[in-house]
Structures are given as C-alpha cells and as structure tokens.
Amino acid sequence: VAEEAVTTLAFHQASSPVALHMDSLLTEMSVKAVAKSKTTALPAKEATQGADVEAAEYGAPTIYNGGAIRLWRSNRRGAPDTAADIGAKPGTVVLAPVSGTVIAVRAYKLYGKHADTEVHIKPDGWPEVDVVLIHISDVSVKVGDRVEGGITPVARVRRLSQYVTHQLSDYTPDKGDHVHIQLNRMAVPGKIGPVGEY
C-alpha cells in the first residue's frame, strides 16, 4: 500500500513450510514501544538509512521509510520473517509488491470459516517464487495480467476485523486490518501450492 496509508509493518511466521525467509531493509522497531504508542504509523527513518540507500543504489523510488516489528505466533514454527502484515485501513488500495505476472486469483476460507481471496504473482526473474497476497477484496487483476511493483493496483485491504481479532491491532490505533504477503518456493516453476498454503 502507499507509504502514507501504512499503519504498521510486521513480520511473523508463515504457517506454510514452503514460505521463504525475507530480509528487511527497514529499521527494526521495539514491539513494546510501538504497542505503547498505538497512535500513528511507525516513525519515518532518515533518508540516508536502510531502504532509502538500497533504493537509491538501484535507482528505484523508496515506497516506505518507516520501521518494522517482528511478531511471534505461538501456534506456528519457524523464524518470524517468512510473512509480513502491512497494516492499513479497510478499502485501502493494495499495489503489486513486485513486477511480474499474475498466475492465480482464487477464493479460499480463512481458518476454514471466513471467505477470503488470494492473489499469486510470479515475479520477474524468479520463476520458482510465488508472491502471495491475502486478506484482500475487490481484486482488480486476473490471471495473465502484467503488474508493476509499487504501481499496479491489485485489490483493496479487506475488513476482516469484523470476524477475527488481528494480532496487529495491539500495535495500531485501529483494529489491525492488513494485507498479508509472503514468498513461497514452488517445487515446479509456475505451479502454485494448495489453496490456503500460508
């Protein structure tokens, strides 16, 4: 989502064993400090640090200058860096996180109960990776569409807080609605895993 719409960015464990580790270029924030403030989006960094420097080296625009927190989910194994929740108000436009091709758009049941949608993108240059977005509505792309990272609208943040209590709500001034993103390794390039593999 656009930088100004981000409430909090949190990494956590994915439930899927095929989810890939993600390195963050952002400053790691104290979860205690963020939970205590719960008033605004995470504070912006100086333009000379982290993601700004990396983006400038590659001639890319910086789309987020804040920090990130790491959450722990006791019902999941693994390191808390295989999924990310990007907090934003329901209805906020979700932009493609990478440039690539949409390889699937499908409905599934979150926790086996709540209707949700997943969008899968094969990023340019990484045929073995499936970028998955969930907790979205009003999907505006279809299979075969080309998307540009940080530019192409893909969907909108869904209001799931009416059904579930989001862990993210402990760190935001709202109910913690967000878009979930993760990178899954595909055993066969171009062939995504089963529905609900997060």
Side-chain angles (χ1 to χ4, degrees), residues 98-193:
V98 295
S99 295
T101 304
V102 177
I103 56 174
V105 176
R106 58 190 187 184
Y108 78 103
K109 294 280 187 179
L110 177 66
Y111 307 128
K113 297 193 279 190
H114 311 291
D116 200 12
T117 303
E118 54 186 50
V119 169
H120 298 258
I121 301 170
K122 180 180 72 171
D124 293 345
W126 290 348
E128 74 285 358
V129 174
D130 171 22
V131 178
V132 185
L133 303 169
I134 60 173
H135 307 338
I136 53 177
S137 63
D138 303 322
V139 175
S140 55
V141 294
K142 62 186 182 313
V143 173
D145 282 356
R146 168 103 185 127
V147 295
E148 296 296 326
I151 297 172
T152 307
V154 173
R156 293 190 178 270
V157 174
R158 179 142 181 254
R159 185 183 303 275
L160 278 174
S161 57
Q162 62 187 332
Y163 306 112
V164 298
T165 301
H166 294 299
Q167 184 181 17
L168 211 58
S169 67
D170 291 338
Y171 308 96
T172 62
D174 58 19
K175 294 186 177 181
D177 287 297
H178 61 277
V179 58
H180 168 109
I181 235 176
Q182 73 183 57
L183 285 65
N184 287 346
R185 181 178 306 283
M186 292 187 279
V188 177
K191 185 174 180 182
I192 62 175

Side-chain angles (χ1 to χ4, degrees), residues 25 50-63:
L25 300 174
D52 296 316
V53 172
E54 181 89 3
E57 287 173 358
Y58 289 95
T62 300
I63 61 170

Side-chain angles (χ1 to χ4, degrees), residues 6-8 37-43 171-173:
V6 175
T7 56
T8 298
S37 71
K38 284 185 69 165
T39 55
T40 61
L42 295 175
Y171 308 96
T172 62

Side-chain angles (χ1 to χ4, degrees), residues 8-52:
T8 298
L9 171 58
F11 289 93
H12 64 85
Q13 308 108 302
S15 60
S16 170
V18 298
L20 298 170
H21 163 78
M22 291 187 275
D23 287 321
S24 175
L25 300 174
L26 302 174
T27 302
E28 190 156 332
M29 306 294 292
S30 158
V31 292
K32 288 181 181 179
V34 174
K36 185 176 179 182
S37 71
K38 284 185 69 165
T39 55
T40 61
L42 295 175
K45 297 181 316 198
E46 291 294 320
T48 57
Q49 297 178 3
D52 296 316

